[in-house]
Amino acid sequence: MRHLLLVGAGHAHAQVLLEWARAPLAGVEVTVVSPGAFAPYSGMVPGWLAGVYRFDEIGIDFAALARAAGARFVAGEVVALDAARREVTLADGARLGYDVLSLNIGSTLRPPPIDGATVLPLRPLARLREGYDAVLAELATTDRPLAVTAVGGGAAGVESVLAVVARLRAQRPHRPIAARLVTRSADLLPGMAPGAARRVRAALGRAGVRIECGTAFDPATVAPGQLVLWASGAQAHAWPAASALACDTAGFVRIDHHLRSVSHPEVHAVGDCAAWVPPLPKAGVYAVRMGPILVHNLRAALGAGALRTYAPQHRYLALLATADGRAVAAWGRWSVEGAWAWRWKDRIDRRFVRRFTHAAGA
């Protein structure tokens, strides 16, 4: 019996389990490891922050999906990898061996401590709920003025500040809220269509969010009692770089065109935790597109078929919710916005999650 170990409850691993449920590979035992069984889908997180969705609507039950695939689910956090022994160690000291390993662990954020402020990092998503629920509960019974600062001018920073401000205003309409977005970048949404940045800038203006581009965040500008949404650049988890895996200077796992570690071909890595040359944006759409290639190549690594090559798309559709019943759509140099774009985004996101919910029998 060979052992396939999936570490992380990311979009690509959801696709692996979905395909395994449809066509399991004989003689292969599959184990999935993740700190939590419920994995939020990144595309729907802004809608949840804004109060459009319940939390149980925006994610995938990996424990149920694993059962449907005949796999074992282990609730635990990997803290070390011994590539020579083909073994991972969990936070509780348990060890799991593997013949083939796949990493879909995403990225993380490490905000600086800010005295007296409530800091919510937007990654990892699985830990965001507890912090946000606490904020909502604390602010549910007061009309005291509130200041919100978002750090990061990418999609996560823009969508989160719009969503959170909309939710807090709906919760207590008479509470004064001052909001700002701080980013080192010269403009919002670097790498996206200029028109998308203009449209998002207008949405932030309508919401009363002050924009500070080309500005380094200074913790001294945050007074006690303020809320900080930390959505700066993605950071790598520490343990892959501490192993023997080849990683880039930021700690992300270097992979080849078959999504395998360049130093240990029995290890695969996809999504935000992987380093591609040239670098890819840390966007969930890449993990989704890597999914089918990962499924095929994991089977090949286990003796069923030949490897396939992954070729990243040059352009991808970005749909950014503006928390006012509208969304901005961007594709290459093209962009547009409207209520129809929000309905389109909502339909795409719900359909994506529904694929896995139905497979898990939920």
Side-chain angles (χ1 to χ4, degrees):
M1 182 71 72
R2 305 196 73 194
H3 188 201
L4 169 62
L5 179 60
L6 308 177
V7 175
H11 308 335
H13 280 176
Q15 294 177 74
V16 171
L17 292 174
L18 182 64
E19 293 304 318
W20 230 266
R22 293 171 176 167
L25 192 59
V28 175
E29 177 186 31
V30 180
T31 300
V32 187
V33 180
S34 177
F38 189 80
Y41 172 50
S42 58
M44 298 180 78
V45 167
W48 164 67
L49 290 172
V52 175
Y53 305 122
R54 301 187 315 272
F55 191 75
D56 63 0
E57 292 182 291
I58 70 164
I60 301 165
D61 185 340
F62 260 74
L65 190 58
R67 286 194 299 271
R72 178 171 67 119
F73 179 82
V74 175
E77 183 175 2
V78 172
V79 295
L81 165 65
D82 187 331
R85 294 173 61 91
R86 299 196 181 191
E87 184 179 78
V88 301
T89 301
L90 307 188
D92 64 2
R95 296 180 180 181
L96 297 172
Y98 62 84
D99 293 293
V100 175
L101 172 66
S102 181
L103 305 178
N104 189 197
I105 57 176
S107 57
T108 190
L109 295 170
R110 301 182 187 93
I114 305 174
D115 289 342
T118 298
V119 183
L120 288 184
L122 273 293
R123 292 287 189 276
L125 293 175
R127 296 177 183 171
L128 177 60
R129 182 188 186 184
E130 182 178 351
Y132 192 50
D133 284 351
V135 167
L136 294 177
E138 179 187 352
L139 298 176
T141 58
T142 178
D143 288 323
R144 67 174 175 80
L146 176 66
V148 179
T149 296
V151 182
V158 166
E159 288 188 295
S160 65
V161 72
L162 287 170
V164 169
V165 167
R167 179 73 173 273
L168 294 176
R169 285 178 176 154
Q171 184 186 64
R172 306 290 288 184
H174 302 296
R175 177 199 293 122
I177 297 179
R180 63 174 180 147
L181 183 148
V182 181
T183 176
R184 290 179 180 271
S185 299
D187 200 0
L188 301 175
L189 306 179
M192 286 194 192
R198 290 195 299 271
R199 296 175 192 280
V200 163
R201 183 178 285 272
L204 290 165
R206 293 192 299 270
V209 179
R210 187 173 81 251
I211 304 166
E212 300 177 13
C213 288
T215 304
F217 173 72
D218 181 0
T221 62
V222 177
Q226 292 192 9
L227 174 62
V228 178
L229 306 173
W230 196 267
S232 63
Q235 295 175 281
H237 292 278
W239 59 266
S243 73
L245 295 183
C247 293
D248 68 6
T249 56
F252 296 104
V253 179
R254 292 173 53 208
I255 58 172
D256 64 16
H257 289 265
H258 301 303
L259 307 179
R260 302 177 304 178
S261 161
V262 298
S263 59
H264 295 76
E266 71 278 5
V267 178
H268 297 66
V270 293
D272 281 7
C273 73
W276 185 264
V277 179
L280 296 174
K282 300 298 184 184
V285 65
Y286 288 98
V288 171
R289 296 288 184 89
M290 287 176 174
I293 303 299
L294 178 66
V295 173
H296 186 90
N297 288 351
L298 290 177
R299 290 179 178 273
L302 292 161
L307 293 168
R308 288 183 182 172
T309 297
Y310 167 72
Q313 65 269 37
H314 295 296
R315 295 180 294 179
Y316 65 93
L317 175 66
L319 290 165
L320 308 179
T322 51
D324 57 358
R326 300 161 65 86
V328 174
W331 170 267
R333 306 295 291 177
W334 170 88
S335 69
V336 68
E337 68 176 316
W340 65 269
W342 162 252
R343 292 192 295 271
W344 186 23
K345 172 178 171 56
D346 177 64
R347 187 162 55 249
I348 290 172
D349 290 343
R350 287 182 185 271
R351 185 169 62 237
F352 179 81
V353 170
R354 193 161 50 239
R355 290 172 58 203
F356 305 103
T357 303
H358 286 176

